[in-house]
Amino acid sequence: GAVVSQHPSWVICKSGTSVKIECRSLDFQATTMFWYRQFPKQSLMLMATSNEGSKATYEQGVEKDKFLINHASLTLSTLTVTSAHPEDSSFYICSAGTSGRETQYFGPGTRLLVL
Amino acid sequence: KQEVTQIPAALSVPEGENLVLNCSFTDSAIYNLQWFRQDPGKGLTSLLLIQSSQREQTSGRLNASLDKSSGRSTLYIAASQPGDSATYLCAVINNAGNMLTFGGGTRLMVKP
């Protein structure tokens, strides 16, 4: 149980386009989902926290108009990288949890390459 | 603001050695601490979770200890194997909040 999937696992896009990444909790309802970004050989940096049905809370330094997060249901959150640039190339990982501080379950990650 | 540090950043050992990975955190008011494993290009696999009231957790060849007052945790790996090669991350959740704060990770290489 407690499986989290991400789609796509790999995406290559041209500079200026928008890319949507999906994060799904497959066998449980996730009231909270977290989006992380990871650069090569570095640790995970939290980008934002999203609660189902409400606006996401962004970490300092993360542009909310650049990284649009939608958590429309208890099993799906999406991250849209708008007008992507090469510096947005990174590994994006989501995690999902139930209410409070219960264990977060991590997705397999999405590697984005912007040309 | 919570800060998590892991030492060493990288470690290379021959197969069969017992090894210790270190994690320290600046704010001792934590709810729990987790150790994760990450293989290259992959997501995270949770290895051990220690609640703030616990001192250690064990799973197979892995043992994690927690000294909350001193802001330290160690991950002990017994009889290391090449398949243990990965990056190991520790992360804490503070009492005030529900977000994980990650350390920089330790990249482990176990040579046959």
Side-chain angles (χ1 to χ4, degrees), chain A residues 28-67:
Chain A
F28 68 100
Q29 293 186 326
T31 53
T32 306
M33 287 187 171
F34 303 84
W35 286 96
Y36 297 86
R37 182 173 182 176
Q38 186 178 34
F39 291 106
K41 296 187 178 181
Q42 294 187 26
S43 191
L44 280 72
M45 297 299 295
L46 180 66
M47 298 175 66
T49 303
S50 74
N51 294 295
E52 185 265 338
S54 62
K55 290 184 178 180
T57 302
Y58 290 80
E59 294 301 300
Q60 190 174 7
V62 179
E63 300 174 58
K64 62 181 180 181
D65 295 329
K66 171 77 172 174
F67 299 99

Side-chain angles (χ1 to χ4, degrees), chain B residues 23-86:
Chain B
C23 172
S24 62
F25 44 95
T26 55
D27 184 353
S28 62
I30 63 168
Y31 182 71
N32 63 38
L33 181 146
Q34 278 188 269
W35 283 92
F36 295 89
R37 169 183 173 141
Q38 185 178 31
D39 292 288
K42 304 293 185 182
L44 274 65
T45 301
S46 180
L47 298 173
L48 291 165
L49 184 152
I50 311 177
Q51 299 292 352
S52 62
S53 59
Q54 298 175 324
R55 298 283 293 182
E56 66 176 348
Q57 284 285 336
T58 298
S59 176
R61 294 182 294 109
L62 305 179
N63 176 276
S65 68
L66 173 64
D67 184 343
K68 196 174 73 164
S69 61
S70 67
R72 294 179 182 178
S73 175
T74 60
L75 179 66
Y76 176 82
I77 302 178
S80 59
Q81 303 171 357
D84 295 331
S85 299

Side-chain angles (χ1 to χ4, degrees), chain B residues 3-25:
Chain B
E3 293 183 3
V4 181
T5 304
Q6 290 186 244
I7 295 174
L11 182 63
S12 181
V13 300
E15 182 177 7
E17 271 202 11
N18 302 324
L19 53 100
V20 175
L21 308 182
N22 296 291
C23 172
S24 62
F25 44 95

